[in-house]
Amino acid sequence: MTPPSADHRGERIPPLARTTLDRAAHHRRDPDWLAAAAKSGLVLVVDTAAGGRALAQDNPDGSASLVLLDPATAPDGDRYFLGVDPDGTPLFTVDAPLPAMTEAKGVTLRDVGHRLDDRDAGLFSAAAALVNWHVSHLFSPRSGKATEVTEAGWSRTDPDGKQMWPRTDPAMIVLIHDGVAGPGGRCLLGRNAQWKLPDGSLRFSTLAGFVEPGESAEAAVHREVLEEVGVKVRDLRYEGSQAWPYPGSLMLGFTARADAADPIVVDPDEIAEARWFTREEIAAMRADEYHDPTTGAPVRLPMSASIALYLIETWLGGFDR
């Protein structure tokens, strides 16, 4: 399994919920402080044109570390203030092509989020979400007029003085299980109709969907599961959340119970296939030792940086309620 992440209280949390970043929002409207910080801080380059990649180095212990540049060597562009490090170092991000570095490579948060330490996980999550928001709000949705960066990157303002602030889209994600303990206990996973893995393997994951306007997260769980697989769930339990800046979501994680005898009726536009898997089968998937009994194709679980895998591993470890 992925090594469990923990917050400052030692509680297990999703991999991208970790952070040591002090966002220091009181500095966002302090031009004198920002001007000095821009000369003494560090800059994380995120290239939205390359899928939100940043530079990272592999470490001997298998972890990874982000490469932050000093302001003099960082590419030109609007600098968005992210916050300050625990040691007081100001941290910024810029959306620009990645500089060539022999000791580092361009990676996405999907690639390395689970391998970063708490500082870098929180920093990359914030930076990726913020630059994605700026790319999509170059013009005002009210007037169509061009906007400019204000409040150190935490606002954009049109010529009429109307401001916009970054928004996060809430989405629910749920691990559905039958409540049975031991290796025979089962969870319900689905395979998205859009997932095409290059090696021909099949990826199954937890069910997820956006919370609609005027809807609670809990209501979204019931609705999305019923729409996608035709199953009614009960005993919802909130398990945690993490940012997923693709382009700017907050994943609200739940577990819920369902009757494994209920028929599964998938929405073919969303789900290619859904089925129940035992803990024994899930453990085999984690070890890359499980193949589809019909086609023989390898069956994969979600990527290690995802809250989907966190929910699956929590259940796999016997922590379902």
Side-chain angles (χ1 to χ4, degrees):
M1 294 185 187
T2 302
S5 305
D7 66 6
H8 66 282
R9 297 162 297 184
E11 297 178 358
R12 190 172 184 272
I13 58 174
L16 299 185
R18 299 169 295 128
T19 187
T20 62
L21 182 66
D22 175 0
R23 297 192 176 218
H26 58 287
H27 288 312
R28 295 173 186 172
R29 299 182 183 182
D30 186 340
D32 293 336
W33 186 92
L34 288 167
K39 298 176 182 178
S40 62
L42 294 172
V43 181
L44 176 65
V45 182
V46 178
D47 187 355
T48 57
R53 295 181 181 276
L55 290 173
Q57 297 172 316
D58 292 326
N59 299 321
D61 63 358
S63 65
S65 299
L66 295 178
V67 175
L68 277 69
L69 305 178
D70 66 72
T73 59
D76 293 334
D78 289 321
R79 305 286 171 87
Y80 309 139
F81 173 60
L82 297 175
V84 296
D85 244 353
D87 65 2
T89 303
L91 301 172
F92 295 82
T93 189
V94 62
D95 183 0
L98 300 179
M101 297 184 68
T102 57
E103 71 275 20
K105 60 183 179 181
V107 296
T108 70
L109 191 60
R110 287 187 177 100
D111 298 329
V112 299
H114 60 294
R115 297 172 55 211
L116 300 173
D117 65 15
D118 292 358
R119 194 287 296 263
D120 283 0
L123 188 63
F124 201 171
S125 297
L130 191 58
V131 297
N132 284 338
W133 177 78
H134 279 282
V135 167
S136 63
H137 287 76
L138 299 177
F139 297 89
S140 168
R142 300 185 186 93
S143 64
K145 297 178 180 179
T147 59
E148 63 178 15
V149 177
T150 49
E151 295 188 10
W154 291 92
S155 174
R156 295 190 73 94
T157 304
D158 70 13
D160 300 323
K162 300 292 186 182
Q163 284 184 281
M164 301 179 294
W165 293 270
R167 293 291 186 264
T168 296
D169 298 320
M172 50 66 49
I173 185 165
V174 59
L175 186 283
I176 303 164
H177 63 90
D178 61 3
V180 175
R186 292 179 288 177
C187 69
L188 176 60
L189 303 180
R191 183 164 61 85
N192 191 291
Q194 305 301 316
W195 290 342
K196 307 292 184 183
L197 300 186
D199 64 355
S201 61
L202 307 176
R203 173 172 288 161
F204 281 81
S205 184
T206 52
L207 301 181
F210 285 104
V211 179
E212 294 188 343
E215 186 178 47
S216 70
E218 292 82 0
V221 172
H222 288 282
R223 175 184 56 78
E224 284 283 351
V225 173
L226 192 61
E227 289 176 353
E228 292 189 351
V229 296
V231 171
K232 293 183 178 180
V233 295
R234 63 186 186 279
D235 300 334
L236 269 64
R237 182 183 177 95
Y238 176 70
E239 299 290 348
S241 66
Q242 74 172 27
W244 194 244
Y246 296 102
S249 299
L250 176 66
M251 305 303 297
L252 306 170
F254 292 85
T255 54
R257 296 192 187 197
D259 189 342
D262 288 347
I264 296 174
V265 182
V266 301
D267 174 358
D269 292 332
E270 297 282 344
I271 304 295
E273 180 183 9
R275 65 173 93 154
W276 290 90
F277 295 94
T278 66
R279 277 192 178 87
E280 188 175 24
E281 291 170 328
I282 295 295
M285 291 181 206
R286 288 296 287 132
D288 291 329
E289 296 175 351
Y290 185 83
H291 292 75
D292 182 76
T294 301
T295 65
V299 179
R300 311 292 187 198
L301 290 174
M303 62 197 71
S304 295
S306 68
I307 191 173
L309 187 62
Y310 167 83
L311 293 172
I312 292 169
E313 289 186 338
T314 298
W315 171 82
L316 180 61
F319 297 107
D320 57 298
R321 283 78 166 185

